[in-house]
Amino acid sequence: MVKTYEGGAPLAEVVRSGFVEGLHRGSVVVLDATGEAVAGVGDPVSPVFPRSSSKPMQAIGMLRAGLPLTDPADVALVSASHAGEEFHLERVAALLRRAGLDESALHCPPDLPVGDTAREAVLRAGGGPTRIQMNCSGKHTGMLLTCLAAGWPLDGYWRPEHPLQRRLTATIEEFTGEEAAAVGVDGCGAPVLAVSLTGLARAYLRLVAAEPGTVERTVADAMRAYPELVGGTQADDTRLMRGVPGILTKVGAEGVIAAAVPGVGAVALKIDDGAARARMPVLVSALRRLGVDAPVLTEYAEVPLLGGGLPVGEVRAVW
C-alpha cells in the first residue's frame, strides 16, 4: 500500500493589519552538501507529486534518449514552465518547425499564458487559448523531438506505457533514489510521479554537483544560464537564478519548489493548500538555514497583502 502524505506543520502566517488571519501548512526538507538532512518539518519523507519541479529530470531523460538539442537555450526551454511571452512562443515554434511539426502535434491542452502581462496582451488582441501558449509546451515539444530521434511513435507519447515515459520514469527514480509511489496525470496531460520531498531535494543536489560535461550538469547549466526561458521575465525561478549565485530552482504547481546551491545544499518544500504566496517566504527561511542570502531573498521574505489597493500586511514564514 502506498504511504500517504500526512500533511505538514504551520509554515507561514497571513498577517492583515497586525492580525493573524490565517496559516499555511506544509512540509520542508533541507539537505547539506553531502545530502544529509539538516533541517525539516512536516512530512518530507512521504510521496507527493512534485509537478513541474520534475522537469529538469525529465529533460535529462530526454537528452539521454537522443533529444537533438545543442543550444543551451533550447535545453532550458524544454525544462521550463514558461510564461507564454513572445520569446518563449517563438522558440517553441522554431523547434517544432525544425522537426516538421506544428502545435497540433502537442498533447498539452490549449491555454492562455500563465504570465499576467502575456495573458493580458493575448486577450487585448482578441486571441484565445492555444496549445503553444500552455506553459508546458516546451517540455512537450522536447518529448516529440525525443520520440523522433529515438524512432518511437509520436502517437500516445504522453501515456505512461510509451517508451519515452518509461525512460523518463527511470530517470526520475534514478535521481531521487526512490521508486515512484504513484503515477498521476499532470495539468499538461503528461505523467507525474509521486516521490518524497527528500528525494526531490536529493535530485537537485545531484544536478548542481555533477561533473561538467555530464547530461545532468548540462541541464543545470542551461537553466541557470537562461532563467528567463525557464520561467519568464518576472517569474520567481527566473529572479532567484538571476539573484542568487549558482542556485538551480524550479517551481511546481500545488505549492512545490525545489532549489540547490553547489557546495552548499538543497531544499524542497510543499505548501499543503497549494498557495503560491506562501512558497517563497518559506523557501527564503530554508535557504537561510544553509547560510544562503542575497538581496532578492530579502525581497521574497515577505509577500505583501493589500487592502484598498495599499499594503496592509504580509505573508511571512513562521518556520
Side-chain angles (χ1 to χ4, degrees), residues 27-52:
S27 300
V28 190
V29 66
V30 181
L31 307 181
D32 65 16
T34 71
E36 186 74 22
V38 293
V41 68
D43 184 12
V45 297
S46 296
V48 298
F49 285 137
R51 307 297 294 274
S52 285

Side-chain angles (χ1 to χ4, degrees), residues 49-55 81 186 200 204 237 249-258 269-271 274-276 279:
F49 285 137
R51 307 297 294 274
S52 285
S53 294
S54 298
K55 284 178 177 173
S81 298
D186 211 337
L200 182 63
Y204 274 67
D237 4 39
T249 185
K250 182 72 191 70
V251 301
E254 294 300 320
V256 176
I257 191 168
L269 66 91
K270 175 178 173 59
I271 306 300
R279 182 166 53 195

Side-chain angles (χ1 to χ4, degrees), residues 57-58 60-67 146 150 152 159-175 193:
M57 285 84 78
Q58 292 172 312
I60 292 168
M62 287 186 254
L63 289 168
R64 284 179 171 179
L67 175 60
T146 302
W152 295 329
R159 301 189 187 282
E161 64 273 14
H162 190 281
L164 168 70
Q165 299 302 337
R166 289 203 302 266
R167 185 72 62 90
L168 301 189
T169 294
T171 304
I172 290 172
E173 291 180 336
E174 173 191 345
F175 278 84
L193 308 180

Side-chain angles (χ1 to χ4, degrees), residues 102-314:
D102 59 35
E103 68 175 283
S104 66
L106 298 170
H107 179 67
C108 54
D111 204 353
L112 290 167
V114 296
D116 292 341
T117 302
R119 182 171 60 251
E120 290 166 6
V122 169
L123 294 174
R124 279 198 306 270
T130 64
R131 294 184 188 278
I132 204 168
Q133 290 175 160
M134 201 270 169
N135 72 92
C136 297
S137 66
K139 178 181 78 172
H140 278 255
T141 297
M143 290 178 173
L144 287 166
L145 270 59
T146 302
C147 289
L148 289 173
W152 295 329
L154 299 186
D155 184 46
Y157 74 86
W158 60 90
R159 301 189 187 282
E161 64 273 14
H162 190 281
L164 168 70
Q165 299 302 337
R166 289 203 302 266
R167 185 72 62 90
L168 301 189
T169 294
T171 304
I172 290 172
E173 291 180 336
E174 173 191 345
F175 278 84
T176 60
E178 299 177 1
E179 183 177 347
V183 180
V185 180
D186 211 337
C188 67
V192 60
L193 308 180
V195 295
S196 72
L197 291 171
T198 301
L200 182 63
R202 187 186 301 123
Y204 274 67
L205 195 59
R206 285 189 60 179
L207 265 68
V208 299
E211 290 294 322
T214 59
V215 175
E216 51 267 39
R217 180 64 176 271
T218 294
V219 171
D221 287 350
M223 292 175 67
R224 291 180 290 189
Y226 295 94
E228 285 84 3
L229 287 170
V230 174
T233 307
Q234 297 300 321
D236 291 339
D237 4 39
T238 298
R239 297 190 62 221
L240 282 172
M241 288 190 280
R242 283 290 182 218
V244 181
I247 197 169
L248 173 71
T249 185
K250 182 72 191 70
V251 301
E254 294 300 320
V256 176
I257 191 168
V261 179
V264 177
V267 174
L269 66 91
K270 175 178 173 59
I271 306 300
D272 287 351
D273 62 9
R277 68 181 183 177
R279 182 166 53 195
M280 297 307 292
V282 177
L283 178 67
V284 170
S285 177
L287 288 171
R288 286 176 170 168
R289 290 168 187 260
L290 290 170
V292 177
D293 211 350
V296 70
L297 297 187
T298 300
E299 294 175 31
Y300 273 123
E302 294 182 351
V303 174
L305 286 182
L306 302 182
L310 298 173
V312 296
E314 65 279 331

